[in-house]
Amino acid sequence: MTETIDKETFSFQTEVGQLLEIVACSLYSNREVFLRELVSNASDACDKLRYAALTDASLAPSEEFAITLAIGDKPKTLSVSDNGIGMNHADLLDTLGTIAKSGTGAFIEALKSADKDAPDLIGQFGVGFYSAFMVANEVDVLTRKAGESDAWLWSSDGKGSFTIEPAQRETPGTTVTLHFKKDAKEFAEDARIRHIIKTYSEHISFPVKLDGETLNTAEALWTRPAKEVTEEQYTEFYRHSSHAFDTPWHVMHNKVEGTLNHTSLLFVPTVPPFDLFDAERKSHVKLYVNRVFISETTKDLVPAYLRFLRGIVDSQDLSLNVSREMLQADPKLTKIKTQVTKKVLSELKKKATKAPDDYAEFWANFGAVLKEGLVEDANLRDRILEICRFASTGQDDLTSLEGYVSRMKEGQDAIFYIAGEDAAKLANSPHLEGFKAKGVEVLLLSDHVDEFWLQHITEFDSKPLKSITRGTADLDQIKEAEDQPTEDKSDAADLVDLIAAIKMELGETVKDVRPSKRLTESPVCLIADDGDMDVNLERLLKRHGQLEHGMPRVLELNPTHTLIMTLAERAKAETAGDDDLLKDAAHLLLDQARIVEGETPTDPSEFARRLGTVMARAFVG
């Protein structure tokens, strides 16, 4: 006996409710994109059933896969039907009640701030279905999942809730029916529908039919020679296959013939996807075998560091009759992955060389992701490093390591860098002062991944990579540039007594206290000693709970700074051992160095007390 389920009412996930409110009240200039999204969803459903039918022939539809449009006159409606995989009760709740991607809050905020002519954000989060509410005041979804006998009707007016109830449908598939708003009845006109399909869905690989007539060529775009495909066709295919709304930054259409045949049509987005830094790091390149869709997130099709790519890879040489798990273990797929990856890196190298300004835009969007390959892909590490770009103190534009080496000073034997979280703040770090005085360029590394790839790459072109926040900075052997003033060190203080006093007061809080060769303007800075963990890496590990206590650091003093010179004279007095002001100064210098590094004083309350004492003596004195 089958349990009868009556009509049920559900509330949308909070973020969906917010999304619908924004979409329904917006007057977008190109609302027609709703139809592209619905047709794309129908195409995906047919793809999924075609794949499922490979291993279970009973699921195959009795007729060819197709997407059928039907216009209703009174009231004005449009139905988009497919004979694809369909949905059951649980699928409807999961698919049409939530936004099934992370970072939803960021998406909602971005959409709120978009102006009325910027619908670009809709679709980037798998919310293309909800764009129907731009033109409809009610949407019905009649669906039946392949292999099941029960059908369901999902209905909503887009105002916070939806209903699901049992229904009747003779065959598996889905029909989405839109009841148009008064100002959207143009979308129930035959000519308007034909124009939209021709504009946006020409490349759909299943026939899209209206009144029995097929409106599109129903040909897989990637099977055509690249010279026959227009830029507009590439753009629309990208938007269809990726559910995106931007224009691709770069298109790569490549056919490989030989022992292993495959075709790839790949796109680099202009706008970074919202899920770019999701923990799962999923690929979004679709895998096809002989134009049959296999998987949208095949794990080993492209490496994680190229997860910004969108598009397809189609191979004639992979087997259709295996599970996705077996397919991912196929050595042929590994070979395809290598070939595709090398091609993409080669294309990016061409762009970096021929269009450096355009490449800088790409790097700002995806450079941090691409650099993950320096850690993960030892075989292609050198190729990846060639196309890496870095901010530096030497020029406004980004630089390659090759470019940096070409500008190295006479006597300079290392590639210097400083790592942190903000390139602008790094550019003002006191650690740079001596290097700036010598005209020595320093790379500014501000991505989290930088500290990790530096553990794997220690030199380039036989030049070691050296952090300026670790170890001594001996710049004496570097020749001064002709336009750089020679540093006058005749007034440098003798710091022996001051160093002894500070060491005595700070004890094990610091590893050492020493004169600095890197400071020219600031009085102090903290560095990691040679062989110790770099300052920024230690900070990152602490933040992620992988390190509880760091190593004591070295406190460097600028012997030419007025404050240090004054304290040095005070430390020479016979009473220096009992000088409370000198003791307070030792702690204040350490805390000053910590604050400049973006850290808090060792003991904030004591810092405030000591600072107050020194200020009182200065003003009263």
Side-chain angles (χ1 to χ4, degrees), residues 334-381:
T334 302
K335 188 173 182 180
I336 290 174
K337 174 183 177 181
T338 300
Q339 291 176 341
V340 168
T341 302
K342 287 181 177 179
K343 180 62 178 178
V344 171
L345 296 179
S346 174
E347 287 288 308
L348 291 176
K349 184 178 180 181
K350 289 179 185 176
K351 289 285 284 188
T353 303
K354 296 179 180 179
D357 290 341
D358 285 348
Y359 190 74
E361 294 181 14
F362 160 82
W363 191 257
N365 289 330
F366 305 115
V369 175
L370 188 60
K371 281 189 287 188
E372 293 173 10
L374 296 174
V375 179
E376 299 170 355
D377 197 339
N379 293 328
L380 297 177
R381 188 171 286 157

Side-chain angles (χ1 to χ4, degrees), residues 55-245:
T55 53
D56 186 351
S58 67
L59 297 179
S62 56
E63 300 178 354
E64 68 168 354
F65 286 106
I67 300 162
T68 304
L69 309 180
I71 297 172
D73 188 31
K74 293 182 180 180
K76 294 289 186 181
T77 62
L78 175 67
S79 296
V80 180
S81 299
D82 66 70
N83 54 346
I85 194 72
M87 291 176 280
N88 58 24
H89 188 278
D91 294 331
L92 285 170
L93 284 174
D94 291 341
T95 307
L96 302 186
T98 63
I99 301 177
K101 293 204 177 186
S102 61
T104 305
F107 170 73
I108 295 296
E109 290 304 312
L111 192 58
K112 283 180 179 178
S113 63
D115 61 53
K116 67 175 183 177
D117 294 321
D120 301 21
L121 296 167
I122 298 177
Q124 289 187 27
F125 256 65
V127 296
F129 167 78
Y130 301 115
S131 63
F133 288 97
M134 289 193 291
V135 296
N137 50 32
E138 184 180 345
V139 177
D140 298 325
V141 180
L142 177 62
T143 185
R144 174 181 158 191
K145 190 162 188 173
E148 299 184 12
S149 58
D150 293 334
W152 304 94
L153 176 64
W154 180 101
S155 299
S156 178
D157 59 4
K159 295 180 180 178
S161 64
F162 60 92
T163 62
I164 299 177
E165 60 184 301
Q168 297 294 320
R169 182 183 172 94
E170 292 185 4
T171 59
T174 299
T175 299
V176 179
T177 301
L178 282 66
H179 302 261
F180 287 120
K181 298 177 180 178
K182 289 183 179 180
D183 64 350
K185 292 181 179 179
E186 62 179 286
F187 298 112
E189 297 173 2
D190 184 285
R192 188 80 167 96
I193 294 298
R194 291 173 181 270
H195 174 74
I196 294 172
I197 295 300
K198 195 70 177 174
T199 302
Y200 293 114
S201 304
E202 174 69 14
H203 49 267
I204 296 288
S205 56
F206 301 102
V208 180
K209 298 182 177 183
L210 177 64
D211 297 331
E213 178 185 349
T214 299
L215 306 182
N216 62 325
T217 58
E219 178 187 18
L221 189 74
W222 63 87
T223 62
R224 295 165 56 184
K227 62 183 179 182
E228 296 181 7
V229 183
T230 67
E231 183 179 341
E232 291 76 15
Q233 288 172 326
Y234 278 134
T235 297
E236 286 312 320
F237 180 82
Y238 160 72
R239 290 172 174 170
H240 153 67
S241 63
S242 308
H243 293 281
F245 283 75

Side-chain angles (χ1 to χ4, degrees), residues 299-587:
K299 184 177 179 182
D300 292 318
L301 187 55
V302 294
Y305 62 85
L306 295 180
R307 61 184 176 275
F308 51 82
L309 291 174
R310 297 296 187 263
I312 66 93
V313 173
D314 187 355
S315 175
Q316 300 83 8
D317 296 326
L318 294 172
S319 174
L320 277 171
N321 300 312
V322 296
S323 68
R324 285 186 173 91
E325 291 73 20
M326 291 177 65
L327 181 63
Q328 289 177 177
D330 191 331
K332 292 179 182 177
L333 187 64
T334 302
K335 188 173 182 180
I336 290 174
K337 174 183 177 181
T338 300
Q339 291 176 341
V340 168
T341 302
K342 287 181 177 179
K343 180 62 178 178
V344 171
L345 296 179
S346 174
E347 287 288 308
L348 291 176
K349 184 178 180 181
K350 289 179 185 176
K351 289 285 284 188
T353 303
K354 296 179 180 179
D357 290 341
D358 285 348
Y359 190 74
E361 294 181 14
F362 160 82
W363 191 257
N365 289 330
F366 305 115
V369 175
L370 188 60
K371 281 189 287 188
E372 293 173 10
L374 296 174
V375 179
E376 299 170 355
D377 197 339
N379 293 328
L380 297 177
R381 188 171 286 157
D382 290 342
R383 292 195 186 200
I384 299 170
L385 195 58
E386 280 183 335
I387 60 175
C388 286
R389 294 296 182 265
F390 308 95
S392 85
T393 60
Q395 55 184 49
D396 294 333
D397 298 331
L398 298 175
T399 182
S400 63
L401 288 183
E402 184 181 12
Y404 179 99
V405 170
S406 70
R407 297 186 296 273
M408 285 175 60
K409 297 291 182 182
E410 184 178 343
Q412 181 182 348
D413 59 5
I415 298 171
F416 293 108
Y417 70 87
I418 181 172
E421 298 181 352
D422 186 307
K425 291 180 180 178
L426 289 176
N428 295 314
S429 171
H431 295 91
L432 291 169
E433 292 170 359
F435 294 87
K436 289 180 179 178
K438 287 271 189 176
V440 176
E441 186 173 357
V442 178
L443 300 177
L444 308 173
L445 308 183
S446 56
D447 292 320
H448 287 176
V449 70
D450 288 326
E451 284 290 1
F452 300 99
W453 69 258
L454 286 164
Q455 309 304 310
H456 297 268
I457 299 174
T458 57
E459 66 174 36
F460 176 81
D461 194 17
S462 301
K463 308 288 192 302
L465 280 84
K466 182 173 176 57
S467 170
I468 68 168
T469 61
R470 180 170 58 189
T472 57
D474 189 358
L475 301 174
D476 292 342
Q477 76 276 20
I478 299 177
K479 185 178 179 181
E480 298 274 3
E482 293 184 2
D483 59 345
Q484 294 288 340
T486 302
E487 188 178 351
D488 182 9
K489 298 183 180 180
S490 58
D491 293 333
D494 177 4
L495 303 184
V496 174
D497 294 318
L498 178 60
I499 287 175
I502 292 176
K503 283 184 177 180
M504 179 69 70
E505 180 61 24
L506 297 182
E508 295 183 357
T509 308
V510 293
K511 186 172 184 178
D512 196 7
V513 182
R514 64 175 67 139
S516 177
K517 291 188 176 182
R518 78 188 80 224
L519 296 175
T520 60
E521 299 173 9
S522 302
V524 289
C525 71
L526 281 169
I527 65 162
D529 204 4
D530 281 313
D532 289 349
M533 187 181 297
D534 196 31
V535 173
N536 189 54
L537 178 57
E538 179 182 297
R539 187 182 299 125
L540 286 174
L541 294 178
K542 282 182 178 177
R543 180 177 303 159
H544 293 286
Q546 298 180 26
L547 184 69
E548 188 173 354
H549 301 293
M551 293 286 292
R553 300 182 199 161
V554 175
L555 181 66
E556 287 195 347
L557 309 178
N558 179 2
T560 63
H561 194 280
T562 303
L563 174 60
I564 300 302
M565 294 169 68
T566 302
L567 290 174
E569 286 301 313
R570 193 177 184 103
K572 292 177 183 178
E574 292 183 4
T575 58
D578 299 320
D579 191 336
D580 290 338
L581 183 61
L582 194 59
K583 293 178 181 179
D584 282 346
H587 290 280

